[in-house]
């Protein structure tokens, strides 16, 4: 799950680049792109059909079910059984218990919750809305290859580098745990510090009309910024997702997982809205 999102995006952008390289016509490239998508979907359905029947899959799903049965809290059932004569009372008690679970989970994982929330706000506020408008700098700006400057530059320098860095950041989070589980506030401030990228990318070759200074006049600087930006996104998101369930009892891990997904969705929503403001501030023409 942690690296699947990034790998999915990486696969999509590779398919997009292939479709552009195979044809210079936009309609033909789009057709190739969607044909690849159809082939992938059909192949996934076939693979899943045979995988579900495999012995390894059966063992894995049985083990997961056994773990869920072992750690799933039983107080919902006890509350429901004591009031089964009144469905409305049962429902209200169950909802109250759910709120209590969420409150306890939030109490112990709030720094991870806000870390994920801020990570996605800082990312979605400039990617892809702002970064997709960055134009070639030196040496690409002097290139006579129109295919590179007009169609492939953004695909490679922005999207491909982002998903490579995002995937790498998620992978290294499985091996490197800095800061440790004991310093959730420090991890939160690291996530908060990613907002500096909004300022740094403003110095790149963006077609602005508000007079913002154009300082980073080299493609390699932009590529380095994209890699740092994407690696930090993948790492901050993954390390928070890894730490959060460890901060509570096993009975609350599923609740914590749902809470972290809420932070992800909320951060994505807020970041997407802020992206309009970021583009407007820099003055898109």
């Amino acid at each position: 799950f942690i690296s699947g999102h990034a790998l999915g995006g990486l696969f999509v952008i590779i398919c997009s680049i292939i479709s552009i390289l195979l044809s210079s016509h936009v309609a033909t490239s789009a057709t190739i792109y969607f044909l690849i998508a159809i082939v992938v979907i059909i192949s996934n359905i076939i693979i899943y059909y045979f995988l579900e029947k495999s012995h390894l899959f059966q063992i894995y799903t049985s083990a997961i079910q056994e773990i869920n049965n072992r750690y799933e809290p039983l107080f919902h059932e006890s509350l429901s059984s004591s009031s089964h004569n009144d469905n409305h009372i049962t429902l209200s008690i169950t909802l109250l218990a759910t709120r209590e679970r969420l409150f306890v989970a939030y109490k112990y994982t709030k720094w991870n919750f806000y870390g994920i929330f801020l990570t996605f706000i800082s990312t979605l506020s400039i990617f892809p809305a702002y970064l997709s408008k960055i134009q070639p700098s030196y040496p690409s700006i002097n290139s006579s290859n129109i295919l590179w400057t007009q169609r492939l530059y953004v695909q490679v320098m922005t999207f491909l580098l982002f998903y490579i860095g995002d995937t790498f950041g998620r992978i290294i989070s499985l091996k490197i745990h800095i800061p440790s589980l004991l310093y959730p506030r420090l991890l939160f401030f690291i996530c908060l510090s990613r907002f500096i990228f909004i300022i740094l990318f403003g110095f790149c070759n963006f077609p602005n009309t508000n007079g913002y200074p154009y300082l980073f006049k080299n493609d390699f600087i932009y590529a380095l910024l994209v890699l740092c930006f994407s690696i930090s996104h993948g790492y901050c998101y993954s390390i928070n997702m890894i730490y959060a369930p460890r901060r509570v009892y096993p009975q609350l891990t599923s609740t914590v997982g749902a809470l972290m997904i809420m932070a992800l969705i909320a951060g994505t929503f807020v970041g997407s809205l802020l992206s309009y403001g970021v583009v407007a501030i820099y003055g898109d023409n």
Side-chain angles (χ1 to χ4, degrees):
F1 172 77
I2 289 178
S3 59
H5 290 171
L7 288 174
L10 184 61
F11 178 78
V12 168
I13 194 60
I14 290 175
C15 292
S16 177
I17 293 173
I18 292 174
S19 65
I20 292 174
L21 292 175
L22 291 179
S23 176
S24 59
H25 194 267
V26 176
T28 305
S29 297
T31 303
I32 296 172
Y33 183 77
F34 284 105
L35 284 176
I36 294 175
I38 292 173
V39 171
V40 170
I41 292 174
I42 294 175
S43 62
N44 285 340
I45 294 174
I46 296 174
I47 292 173
Y48 181 78
Y49 174 78
F50 288 102
L51 183 63
E52 194 176 21
K53 296 181 178 298
S54 67
H55 183 62
L56 179 62
F57 184 86
Q58 299 296 332
I59 294 176
Y60 178 78
T61 52
S62 299
I64 293 297
Q65 186 62 42
E66 183 179 342
I67 293 173
N68 290 336
N69 293 337
R70 179 182 177 184
Y71 289 116
E72 186 65 24
L74 301 177
F75 63 89
H76 283 295
E77 296 180 4
S78 62
L79 289 174
S80 299
S81 61
S82 63
S83 57
H84 64 275
N85 293 327
D86 191 340
N87 292 332
H88 296 289
I89 296 178
T90 301
L91 179 60
S92 63
I93 293 177
T94 303
L95 290 175
L96 179 61
T98 302
R99 294 192 191 100
E100 290 176 349
R101 287 168 63 91
L102 285 172
F103 176 77
V104 173
Y106 170 79
K107 179 180 178 181
Y108 288 99
T109 62
K110 59 183 178 181
W111 294 109
N112 301 114
F113 178 90
Y114 289 116
I116 293 176
F117 180 65
L118 292 179
T119 296
F120 276 83
I121 289 180
S122 58
T123 297
L124 271 296
S125 61
I126 54 178
F127 177 85
Y130 177 79
L131 295 188
S132 62
K133 298 178 182 292
I134 297 293
Q135 297 180 351
S137 301
Y138 178 83
S140 295
I141 197 171
N142 297 328
S143 175
S144 59
N145 189 343
I146 299 178
L147 179 63
W148 166 252
T149 56
Q150 295 186 2
R151 300 191 64 190
L152 285 176
Y153 182 84
V154 173
Q155 300 290 325
V156 175
M157 297 294 289
T158 298
F159 291 99
L160 182 61
L161 287 182
F162 177 85
Y163 287 116
I164 289 175
D166 188 19
T167 303
F168 182 70
R170 296 171 191 241
I171 291 174
I172 63 175
S173 68
L174 302 175
K175 302 295 183 180
I176 302 175
H177 296 163
I178 300 175
S180 70
L181 182 65
L182 302 177
Y183 301 99
R185 291 180 178 84
L186 178 58
L187 179 58
F188 167 79
F189 284 109
I190 291 175
C191 297
L192 181 63
S193 67
R194 295 186 70 253
F195 280 91
I196 192 66
F197 284 108
I198 298 178
I199 299 175
L200 293 177
F201 280 116
F203 296 122
C204 296
N205 190 14
F206 182 79
N208 69 80
T209 58
N210 289 344
Y212 203 79
Y214 170 34
L215 300 180
F216 299 150
K217 301 181 179 181
N218 194 296
D219 289 326
F220 296 104
I221 298 178
Y222 174 65
L224 181 61
L225 283 176
V226 172
L227 284 175
C228 293
F229 174 66
S230 58
I231 291 173
S232 64
H233 170 82
Y235 184 83
C236 289
Y237 166 64
S238 298
I239 202 69
N240 276 294
M241 290 292 287
I242 292 172
Y243 281 169
R246 298 181 183 179
R247 304 188 64 83
V248 297
Y249 292 106
Q251 293 88 342
L252 287 174
T253 53
S254 59
T255 304
V256 168
L259 198 62
M260 296 304 109
I261 295 300
M262 289 171 57
L264 185 157
I265 295 172
T268 301
F269 176 73
V270 175
S272 300
L273 293 180
L274 290 179
S275 65
Y276 292 98
V278 171
V279 173
I281 288 174
Y282 287 118
D284 182 21
N285 58 4

